[in-house]
Amino acid sequence: MLARHQDPIAAIATAPGRGAVGIVRVSGRGLAPFVQGLLGRSLQPRQAHYLPFPDAAGRSIDQGLALFFPAPHSYTGEDVLELQAHGGPVVLQLLLARCLEAAQAVLPRLRLAEPGEFTERAFLNDKLDLAQAEAIADLIDASTEAAARSAGRSLSGAFSQEIHGLRDALVHLRMLVEATLDFPEEEIDFLRKADARGQLSNLQQTLAAVMQRASQGALLREGIKVVIAGQPNAGKSSLLNALAGAELAIVTPIAGTTRDKVQQTIQIEGVPLHIIDTAGLRESADEVERIGIARAWDEITQADAVLFLHDLTRLDAPEYIAADALIASTLVQKLSESVPVIDVWNKTDAAARPAPAATAGRAAVQLSARTGQGLDALRRELLRVAGWQSAAEGVYIARARHIEALRAVDAHLMEAAAQLESTGPALDLLAEELRLAQNALNAITGEFTSDDLLGVIFSSFCIGK
């Protein structure tokens, strides 16, 4: 534990601005003398006391509730004092300043908390693990109901329990391998009699299920970036407005109306989709429009999925067909094969004939952005390409680092399985792969985590949490 973790800390624990109630929180070891000096009396543990909060001269700053939580039965695992006052910014700043002033005599090292430091101490004092600590921030930041519920499941320990189950099975398998290494003279084949292959296979199957649920949780947290691309007047802005259910982008018959990106986040079955409307793709002599087109290609190359919008009313125009073909070939050059492109044939309400046959390997949807016909089919297709399977209750929130760690575990278990299946397996290499897999699992819950990673994680929290 670093030296700064020994300092008592204080902060305003509620959001900036005016509110009915605001909280000032103090955490540290041995806060009882500080509480006495600050409030002029002691407090019964875990009981709310309504009393005045005096300044240094004994005048009341405010009246409110004071609660004292002695260690280890507190959020941080240390002594914690909470002052619940009226939620005016000036009142809370006065209370915080008074806490720092009153501490000079009995708690001289009291300082302002850094972002996420209360939760960091909860983690360091084993009140919660790292995955649960991250779930607190994810619960606060949740943009959809499904994301909030999934974050709540992670905070309750559902994800951590899955990781601990995997780890326990992995430790048991490691024990068998290490026993074989330590006692090579024994005739008993520990691995064969203990069905090491079967244990490893079961471990891989369980890991696959955990990875699937974690991937769904990561999707709920992050969403995907979807870029609408196509020629001018294909209906890109109309499609954005239709998906968002609001007039976000200006729609006119004039080609080149959209000069810069317009972005809106929508949700489908709780999955956030960051939809971006871009400038129409064409050759242009207008300098401003050329900049907009360049930005459009920048957005396209960073997309998780692309909606390639076609105008069904112009399928008989040779110049339109040629321009679409040029855009299609450029998409192939600029996009990774892993980025799905959905052909969206717009203006079915005004088209004289149906869309042409779907391009091999690409999904296609016909719709009318003006009437809304076909929008549900597009929403379903977006969920499919995003990888969303269902809004099952078992999904828990997860982060990119969790997914990376689980993939590392999977890779190490595959190497371990290859060693077991080989003739005359190298047990020392098998043991090393299992050890590396366990380390990757431990990194998720924080049992094996660098201080640098902790700094990155908790710095993203708000101050006071």
Side-chain angles (χ1 to χ4, degrees):
M1 188 176 292
L2 300 177
R4 68 180 182 85
H5 296 139
Q6 307 298 323
D7 296 339
I9 54 175
I12 297 171
T14 41
R18 299 171 61 214
V21 177
I23 298 174
V24 173
R25 177 181 290 162
V26 182
S27 179
R29 293 178 174 84
L31 290 190
F34 165 75
V35 173
Q36 181 72 43
L38 176 70
L39 302 175
R41 55 167 292 182
S42 60
L43 301 177
Q44 291 296 315
R46 292 172 295 282
Q47 291 187 17
H49 299 78
Y50 180 71
L51 42 71
F53 303 140
D55 62 14
R59 297 168 299 190
S60 177
I61 298 173
D62 193 8
Q63 288 191 332
L65 297 178
L67 296 97
F68 181 54
F69 303 90
H73 306 296
S74 69
Y75 177 72
T76 64
E78 304 172 331
D79 290 349
V80 171
L81 172 68
E82 285 194 358
L83 304 178
Q84 300 183 9
H86 293 96
V90 175
V91 172
L92 295 178
Q93 288 293 343
L94 287 172
L95 281 178
L96 179 59
R98 174 58 189 148
C99 287
L100 296 172
E101 181 184 28
Q104 293 177 5
V106 293
L107 209 63
R109 295 177 61 186
L110 180 67
R111 59 172 174 80
L112 294 176
E114 298 176 7
E117 195 168 3
F118 289 96
T119 302
E120 183 181 19
R121 293 193 177 195
F123 163 70
L124 294 171
N125 292 322
D126 296 323
K127 302 300 289 186
L128 39 73
D129 64 33
L130 193 55
Q132 290 174 294
E134 290 170 305
I136 293 172
D138 294 333
L139 184 59
I140 294 171
D141 294 337
S143 58
T144 68
E145 180 182 349
R149 291 185 181 277
S150 297
R153 281 191 285 274
S154 288
L155 178 56
S156 69
F159 184 34
S160 300
Q161 289 170 13
E162 297 264 25
I163 299 304
H164 291 153
L166 284 169
R167 185 201 59 195
D168 292 344
L170 189 52
V171 167
H172 185 262
L173 186 55
R174 283 189 66 192
M175 178 188 68
L176 296 173
V177 176
E178 297 290 347
T180 306
L181 281 171
D182 289 342
F183 303 101
E185 70 280 359
E186 295 286 344
E187 295 182 358
I188 299 175
D189 185 351
F190 288 96
L191 301 183
R192 178 177 58 81
K193 287 187 175 295
D195 189 23
R197 287 186 176 88
Q199 289 191 42
L200 182 54
S201 177
N202 290 338
L203 189 56
Q204 288 178 297
Q205 291 177 22
T206 304
L207 175 64
V210 173
M211 288 179 68
Q212 189 273 331
R213 287 192 289 273
S215 296
Q216 298 293 283
L219 187 59
L220 283 176
R221 181 180 186 273
E222 304 291 346
I224 64 168
K225 178 179 179 179
V226 180
V227 175
I228 306 173
Q231 295 187 57
N233 278 356
K236 297 184 300 300
S237 298
S238 297
L239 180 57
L240 172 66
N241 292 342
L243 287 171
E247 295 296 319
L248 303 174
I250 299 172
V251 177
T252 75
I254 303 171
T257 297
T258 301
R259 298 295 185 96
D260 204 353
K261 69 176 183 179
V262 180
Q263 179 171 337
Q264 177 69 15
T265 296
I266 66 171
Q267 58 167 299
I268 305 174
E269 292 187 18
V271 178
L273 300 179
H274 312 294
I275 311 291
I276 299 175
D277 174 28
T278 58
L281 304 175
R282 65 172 179 176
E283 295 293 328
S284 176
D286 186 298
E287 180 64 22
V288 175
E289 188 177 0
R290 284 208 308 269
I291 293 172
I293 293 170
R295 290 181 177 179
W297 280 113
D298 287 341
E299 294 294 338
I300 290 168
T301 56
Q302 298 173 41
D304 297 311
V306 174
L307 301 181
F308 186 6
L309 204 62
H310 310 275
D311 185 347
L312 280 171
T313 64
R314 288 188 277 173
L315 288 186
D316 295 326
E319 67 279 4
Y320 180 82
I321 296 172
D324 251 17
L326 178 60
I327 294 172
S329 63
T330 308
L331 286 173
V332 172
Q333 297 171 15
K334 289 181 175 289
L335 289 179
S336 165
E337 292 182 0
S338 63
V339 178
V341 176
I342 302 173
D343 286 310
V344 180
W345 300 93
N346 188 28
K347 304 184 184 180
T348 56
D349 58 308
R353 59 188 178 91
T359 303
R362 290 219 303 246
V365 176
Q366 298 186 48
L367 56 78
S368 168
R370 187 178 68 83
T371 67
Q373 180 184 4
L375 282 179
D376 285 342
L378 177 60
R379 292 186 181 102
R380 290 193 297 270
E381 189 59 31
L382 284 170
L383 286 179
R384 187 191 69 80
V385 300
W388 182 246
Q389 296 180 1
S390 67
E393 281 299 310
V395 173
Y396 34 69
I397 210 76
R399 295 188 171 202
R401 78 170 192 91
H402 302 151
I403 304 300
E404 291 172 8
L406 291 172
R407 286 173 180 163
V409 175
D410 186 45
H412 290 307
L413 293 186
M414 289 178 65
E415 288 294 330
Q419 286 295 335
L420 265 180
E421 295 297 330
S422 64
T423 304
L427 295 183
D428 54 343
L429 295 180
L430 172 59
E432 177 64 8
E433 292 296 341
L434 296 177
R435 184 188 69 82
L436 292 173
Q438 183 181 344
N439 283 349
L441 282 176
N442 287 341
I444 294 176
T445 54
E447 294 167 68
F448 178 78
T449 310
S450 69
D451 288 337
D452 288 343
L453 178 59
L454 293 182
V456 170
I457 290 172
F458 289 107
S459 64
S460 64
F461 282 54
C462 53
I463 294 175
K465 196 60 182 178

